[in-house]
Structures are given as C-alpha cells and as structure tokens.
Amino acid sequence: MRQRENLATPSATVAFVDIAGFSAISDVYGDAAALVVLEVFEGMVRDALSGYEPPIKWIGDEAMLAFPEPDTAIQVLGTLLQACRKESRLPLTRAGLNHGPVIHRAGDLFGSTINIAARITALASPGQLLATQPIAEAAVTRGIAVRDLGMVALRSVTGEVPLYEIELAPSADPAWIDPVCKMHAPYSSYRRAAPDGPWFCSPRCEESYRRSPRTYEVPR
C-alpha cells in the first residue's frame, strides 16, 4: 500500500485534444490524406509545446497533455487552438480539460482526473473546448470568455460535474461546419450569405453526405 501511495503526485491539469473529422477524412479521402492531416496536427502540437513537456501520449489522432496548473494549460492551448483554426488543412479540433490529482506510472497518467478529462472531450462539439471549474476560474482571471453549461452527467462518472465552455479560439459557426469532415468554412468569405442546408468543403464530402446522411451529424 505504501508503494502505491508513493505513485500519487501533486495535482495536474490534463487535456485531450483531437481532430473532430479525422475518421471521416480517412473514409472519404483515404488513409494517405488522413495521415497528412495527422502529421500537420502533430507538428502544431509540438510547436505549441516548445519549452514545455511533450505529450503524455498519442491515441490515434488525439493528444493527451498534462500541465502543472490550469494557467499554463490555458496559455499553451490558447496558442495551439488558435493556430489550428488558422490552418486551412485542418478540420476543427475538440478539447477537454480537467484539474486534479493524478498517478504517474511508466510514463503515463492514471486516475479519475484523466477519466473525467476524456469524458469531457467526448462531449465537445467540433471547435469547442470544455473544462471543469478550476480551468474556468483561471480563464476568467485572464479575461477569457467562459460560458457556464451547468451540471452535466458524464459516462461512468458518479454524480454530475459542473462544466464550462472556454473560448480560447474564435467560436465556430455551426452553419458553416462541413458535417462530414468537420472543416470550417473561411467564414469571412461566407458570412454575407445565409446558409441553405449543410455547407460542404468539397463535392466528395457532399457526395458522402447525400449517400448516407444519417452517418453524419449536422452541427447545430
């Protein structure tokens, strides 16, 4: 028991960031195209983490990151998510953050803090960052826009968790998100027109959607 207790570390801010449309890109455009997108994303993660610890691990197209406190996480993710929004080769990202005690083991992190961060990320919409209260409080201190989403039930987590949306990058307009690959339209070029049905980044995404609309959730 004493050895197990020694595995416990001070609290950390854990973040998961993934590419919202990665699976669809692989399906519609092929694995080679998806690999290019992943390599672009990996490079941007490395650039944003310059001077910080590297990712704890990669899970497919998802990066698991850890920081000593919420303020550092906000600083790094602010840089990363804004850069991702400006990169025309990337679809929208999703992110989830939580702060709490963690357990280090063999270069990985374990514990309920990580589990909650992963569940939060799964709830995030394309272009959205969701976080728990400690991160929201740090964002408010920095003057960053925060929206209280209330108490939310998370899969396999006892009780509800207070959840917040934090705007570290420009918010995505659901009307201009491709329902297939989750690319966001270059909004300044489109905002003068009223959307008429889903927007598509290419004929291939439109064809995939028309062939099987139930496969793809239209952002709202």
Side-chain angles (χ1 to χ4, degrees):
M1 180 63 75
R2 183 169 298 166
Q3 286 180 327
R4 291 182 180 274
E5 287 174 351
N6 288 338
L7 293 174
T9 69
S11 296
T13 300
V14 178
F16 288 92
V17 186
D18 71 14
I19 304 171
F22 186 76
S23 296
I25 290 172
S26 181
D27 180 54
V28 175
Y29 296 94
D31 293 338
L35 181 59
V36 170
V37 170
L38 180 59
E39 289 175 343
V40 170
F41 181 54
E42 288 175 339
M44 299 184 80
V45 171
R46 287 195 298 269
D47 290 344
L49 288 172
S50 177
Y52 299 93
E53 293 292 327
I56 297 297
K57 61 183 175 182
W58 284 91
I59 311 164
D61 66 308
E62 182 175 63
M64 176 181 169
L65 315 174
F67 305 94
E69 74 284 315
D71 199 60
T72 303
I74 288 171
Q75 181 177 336
V76 174
L77 288 182
T79 299
L80 173 61
L81 298 183
Q82 289 181 42
C84 287
R85 282 300 305 275
K86 294 176 183 177
E87 175 52 69
S88 61
R89 292 171 292 178
L90 284 185
L92 293 168
T93 59
R94 294 181 298 203
L97 288 86
N98 186 32
H99 181 84
V102 296
I103 295 175
H104 277 271
R105 182 178 182 274
D108 204 347
L109 294 181
F110 296 87
S112 62
T113 296
I114 289 84
N115 296 339
I116 290 173
R119 298 291 184 259
I120 290 171
T121 308
L123 288 180
S125 300
Q128 190 176 43
L129 183 154
L130 300 180
T132 51
Q133 188 168 350
I135 297 93
E137 290 173 349
V140 169
T141 300
R142 280 176 164 260
I144 297 168
V146 172
R147 184 163 68 98
D148 187 345
L149 302 179
M151 303 296 292
V152 177
L154 303 176
R155 183 170 63 87
S156 301
V157 176
T158 302
E160 295 184 330
V161 176
L163 213 54
Y164 302 83
E165 179 181 10
I166 302 177
E167 192 173 317
L168 293 185
S171 58
D173 185 339
W176 299 109
I177 299 175
D178 188 316
V180 177
C181 69
K182 304 303 186 285
M183 285 284 188
H184 191 269
Y187 190 57
S188 60
S189 303
Y190 288 83
R191 60 187 172 190
R192 288 186 296 273
D196 181 19
W199 173 83
F200 300 99
C201 75
S202 73
R204 290 176 71 172
C205 277
E206 182 173 10
E207 180 185 354
S208 295
Y209 180 83
R210 302 301 182 200
R211 196 164 54 233
S212 182
R214 294 183 180 179
T215 302
Y216 307 104
E217 180 183 355
V218 177
R220 300 187 183 280

